[in-house]
């Protein structure tokens, strides 16, 4: 599948500011990207369900090496892998680690027992289950 740059997406040109990528995640990935952008970061989304908005992005499968190359992931300072499946997240994180020189890869993990696996693979796990339960515990 060839990625499609969504209409209205800005071109980053040769700007030196680092770009962060959010790979997958649907509405969660979009919310993360919007938050990063609101905090002043340059961010690009790559997702099958990407819809044009304030954050530039590509429509495409984040597990596809050609899609990631076309989207420019090799120039990223940070990649956030935020798909629904721990297996797919690990697959994409490993693909980004082995094919692109990205200094920081943050990976969503749903099952807290899998966090050590992601750490051992050289990624920074972010356990959505733990974060959600801790946040809810503070509210209650």
């Amino acid at each position: 599948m060839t990625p499609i740059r969504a209409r209205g997406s800005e071109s980053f040109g040769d700007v030196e500011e680092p770009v962060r990528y959010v790979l997958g995640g649907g509405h969660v990935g979009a919310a993360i990207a919007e938050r990063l952008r609101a905090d002043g970061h340059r961010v690009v989304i790559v997702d099958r369900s990407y819809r044009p908005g304030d954050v530039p992005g590509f429509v495409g499968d984040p597990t596809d090496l050609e899609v990631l190359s076309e989207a420019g992931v090799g120039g990223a300072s940070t990649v956030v892998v935020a798909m629904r499946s721990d297996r797919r997240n690990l697959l994409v994180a490993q693909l980004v680690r082995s094919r692109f020189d990205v200094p920081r890869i943050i990976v969503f993990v749903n099952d807290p027992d899998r966090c050590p696996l992601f750490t051992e693979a050289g990624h920074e796990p972010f356990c959505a289950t733990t974060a959600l339960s801790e946040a809810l515990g503070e509210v209650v």
Side-chain angles (χ1 to χ4, degrees), residues 37-86:
R37 184 154 174 124
D39 288 345
H41 299 287
R42 294 166 46 88
V43 62
V44 174
I45 299 173
V46 178
D47 191 29
R48 287 181 176 186
S49 62
Y50 171 74
R51 299 209 189 292
D54 291 337
V55 179
F58 286 82
V59 176
D61 183 352
T63 65
D64 186 324
L65 182 59
E66 185 177 325
V67 168
L68 297 177
S69 294
E70 179 68 26
V73 170
S77 64
T78 302
V79 167
V80 177
V81 182
M83 296 190 294
R84 294 180 183 179
S85 162
D86 286 350

Side-chain angles (χ1 to χ4, degrees), residues 80-100:
V80 177
V81 182
M83 296 190 294
R84 294 180 183 179
S85 162
D86 286 350
R87 288 182 186 170
R88 286 180 62 96
N89 285 343
L90 184 58
L91 170 74
V92 171
Q94 291 295 91
L95 182 64
V96 170
R97 167 103 32 235
S98 67
R99 300 293 181 143
F100 304 98

Side-chain angles (χ1 to χ4, degrees), residues 4 32 40 45 50 60 97 100 105 118 136-137:
I4 301 167
I32 293 165
I45 299 173
Y50 171 74
R97 167 103 32 235
F100 304 98
I105 302 171
F118 285 79
L136 187 59

